[in-house]
Amino acid sequence: MSRKNIFVVGLDEGNLPELKALPDAAEYAFHGLLTAEELQVGEVSVPQLLDKAYGILDAFEGSIDAIVTYWDFPASTLVPILGERYGTRTTSLESVVKCEHKYWSRLEQQKVIDEHPRFGRVDLSSDDPQPPDGVRFPMWLKPALSYSSELAYGVKDEKEFQEAVAQIREGIHRVGRPFEYILDRIELPPEMAGVGAQVCLAEEAISGIQVAVEGYVLNGEVVVYGTLDSINYPDSSSFLRHQYPSTLPADVIERLRTASERVIRQIGMEAATFSIEFFYDPHTDSINLLEINPRHSQSHAQMFHYVDGVPNHHCMVSLALGKDPRLPQGEGQYRKAAKWYYRWFTDAVVQDVPSPEEIERIEAEIPGVRIDMVPEPGKRLSDAPQQDSYSCELAHIFTGADSVDEMTEKYDQCVAALNVSFEGTPPPEDHNE
């Protein structure tokens, strides 16, 4: 039997083992289509990316059975464009853009739910930009589209507002310009006339426990298959870890599922995975939607593998092939799993990181862990792509265990073993809770 050819836009070494761990992986042949660097580093050109993808796919001699991705823009928008050309199963380009464009997404959300913060646009062309009417400090300023919280700033007063506007003005074109090309390909509703892609959004700050809801939609039915907690470093907006499954009460998880169903139906996704980020405030018992991602999270694949026995990539691939996308529940080796973000909160030049052989040794000595290093020796931390505005990532550490205490112990063991050092400075202290 010939294998199904699955082209993965932005296929990377970290996710290939998880793709090969899918239940029917022996029936699949995975092919990389464009690299993560081509998709995310510098100011990308969507026409050039499409031309390169066309060249690769046109030259391929076998069948093109699926084109998928687990990355945000531009990969997320390339998949439906390529799907239309090569006849593969995808959701519509418009539904993807309704998620990726943060302002348009808010307009769609407010049509069907109340669980979102006050928001509005900031006029970057004004000589004296001001917060939108009705949006109060503290607030977040962010471009309509960005990578991994890049150019997202929390501001608490007018001075910080103006400083953030200046930073966003300077950098918004990097993603905004190529996003304009995508907007030109779809018919925009009247409320989006003249908005464009290089627009700044202001949203009132929301607080509480951050939580992600993952699911898929098939034949109009929205299925939520997992809920995960996101825990920040103390007194910081930067993630310390994602944790699966969520520890929130069952009734709160049900409310999150209901809100997710409403917005995904409104947006019109079909045969696609999604990931929606919320905040739950236990003091007020309120939920607020932060953002909608038109793809499942590759960050969570190892966690679902640890707990459920199958990576969440299974849903993406199955939907693209017209197969049953359902995930098992609780059939993995561990009861709990986490992805930890080992961070450094000042900029520095990396002097030494563990070799791949040293990483393998650590993983062998500590069962249920996987380590992905981010920086390279001799490189400045801030030069690595997709860093947030307040910290730099040193490593992603995945842990599977039967309790939070056991996961934390494994993480601490990994941090101690990594022994990352910087030019002129000692190894960083752990910022764990």
Side-chain angles (χ1 to χ4, degrees):
M1 183 179 67
S2 61
R3 294 195 293 174
K4 298 289 187 182
N5 293 302
I6 301 168
F7 286 84
V8 184
V9 180
L11 179 64
D12 61 312
E13 291 183 5
N15 280 285
L16 187 56
E18 295 304 311
L19 289 167
K20 291 182 175 179
L22 298 183
D24 298 329
E27 302 173 11
Y28 305 149
F30 294 104
H31 307 275
L33 184 61
L34 306 174
T35 66
E37 289 74 20
E38 288 173 318
L39 292 162
Q40 298 171 345
V41 177
E43 186 171 334
V44 301
S45 166
V46 175
Q48 289 180 8
L49 291 173
L50 283 171
D51 285 345
K52 183 166 185 177
Y54 293 154
I56 294 169
L57 294 170
D58 289 346
F60 187 71
E61 295 183 353
S63 61
I64 299 171
D65 299 297
I67 302 172
V68 298
T69 194
Y70 36 72
W71 298 113
D72 292 322
F73 179 85
S76 60
T77 55
L78 298 180
V79 167
I81 295 172
L82 295 171
E84 184 177 11
R85 179 177 174 120
Y86 295 98
T88 54
R89 254 174 134 231
T90 75
T91 190
S92 68
L93 178 61
E94 180 178 328
S95 68
V96 171
V97 176
K98 282 182 180 178
C99 298
E100 293 280 25
H101 195 294
K102 290 182 172 63
Y103 180 68
W104 194 1
S105 184
R106 287 297 191 203
L107 296 180
E108 292 298 308
Q109 293 164 35
Q110 69 178 4
K111 294 175 183 177
V112 291
I113 64 170
D114 297 322
E115 296 92 344
H116 59 79
R118 295 185 184 91
F119 68 95
R121 285 188 288 157
V122 177
D123 185 1
L124 295 179
S125 65
S126 170
D127 292 335
D128 183 27
Q130 294 296 319
D133 290 341
V135 180
R136 302 167 299 191
F137 291 111
M139 66 180 69
W140 279 87
L141 297 188
K142 58 188 75 172
L145 180 69
S146 63
Y147 296 141
S148 299
S149 300
E150 188 178 295
L151 295 180
Y153 297 96
V155 300
K156 62 180 183 294
D157 55 33
E158 181 68 27
K159 178 176 180 293
E160 291 185 354
F161 176 90
Q162 296 298 336
E163 291 171 349
V165 165
Q167 292 291 327
I168 293 171
R169 272 176 172 165
E170 184 176 337
I172 196 171
H173 66 277
R174 184 172 88 85
V175 181
R177 284 176 186 162
F179 198 27
E180 293 282 5
Y181 176 86
I182 296 295
L183 286 185
D184 289 342
R185 295 181 71 104
I186 58 180
E187 186 175 343
L188 297 172
E191 62 262 36
M192 284 293 294
V195 173
Q198 299 188 61
V199 60
C200 178
L201 183 68
E203 300 178 343
E204 282 191 10
I206 49 181
S207 61
I209 300 167
Q210 193 165 345
V211 56
V213 172
E214 280 210 13
Y216 61 83
V217 56
L218 179 62
N219 299 324
E221 180 186 2
V222 181
V223 176
V224 170
Y225 58 74
T227 307
L228 308 90
D229 296 332
S230 296
I231 298 162
N232 289 347
Y233 279 82
D235 302 317
S236 170
S237 61
S238 299
F239 288 136
L240 170 65
R241 71 177 184 267
H242 304 305
Q243 181 174 304
Y244 177 65
S246 172
T247 58
L248 292 177
D251 65 308
V252 175
I253 292 175
E254 177 63 19
R255 287 160 56 198
L256 294 169
R257 183 190 64 79
T258 299
S260 300
E261 289 179 351
R262 288 176 179 167
V263 296
I264 291 299
R265 286 200 186 98
Q266 174 65 28
I267 283 168
M269 296 188 77
E270 175 55 43
T273 57
F274 63 84
S275 177
I276 307 180
E277 297 174 37
F278 290 90
F279 275 96
Y280 169 66
D281 189 336
H283 301 294
T284 61
D285 194 36
S286 61
I287 63 174
N288 272 291
L289 192 154
L290 179 60
E291 67 180 25
I292 306 170
N293 301 300
R295 44 84 190 152
H296 69 292
S297 175
Q298 56 85 25
S299 287
H300 301 161
Q302 181 73 64
M303 288 187 282
F304 280 97
H305 195 177
Y306 277 148
V307 175
D308 294 329
V310 177
N312 57 357
H313 294 323
H314 169 72
C315 300
M316 171 189 71
V317 171
S318 297
L319 288 165
L321 293 173
K323 300 174 67 172
D324 186 349
R326 284 178 293 181
L327 275 179
Q329 297 285 309
E331 296 183 13
Q333 187 176 356
Y334 300 100
R335 293 174 56 201
K336 297 181 180 296
K339 175 184 180 180
W340 302 78
Y341 293 83
Y342 180 29
R343 298 181 185 270
W344 188 229
F345 285 80
T346 60
D347 201 5
V349 175
V350 180
Q351 184 175 41
D352 188 38
V353 299
S355 67
E357 293 75 21
E358 289 172 313
I359 295 294
E360 287 183 11
R361 178 186 57 78
I362 297 168
E363 292 173 339
E365 291 176 353
I366 309 172
V369 305
R370 196 190 93 199
I371 302 168
D372 294 336
M373 296 303 302
V374 175
E376 299 176 9
K379 297 292 183 68
R380 183 164 291 279
L381 289 175
S382 59
D383 290 341
Q386 299 194 59
Q387 303 290 3
D388 68 22
S389 300
Y390 300 103
S391 68
C392 300
E393 297 173 2
L394 300 180
H396 302 151
I397 301 174
F398 298 86
T399 59
D402 291 329
S403 69
V404 173
D405 287 345
E406 186 184 350
M407 286 197 306
T408 304
E409 182 179 355
K410 289 184 177 183
Y411 169 72
D412 289 339
Q413 288 177 308
C414 289
V415 168
L418 290 177
N419 197 33
V420 180
S421 63
F422 302 94
E423 291 186 4
T425 64
E429 297 179 0
D430 181 18
H431 287 75
N432 200 353
E433 293 177 305

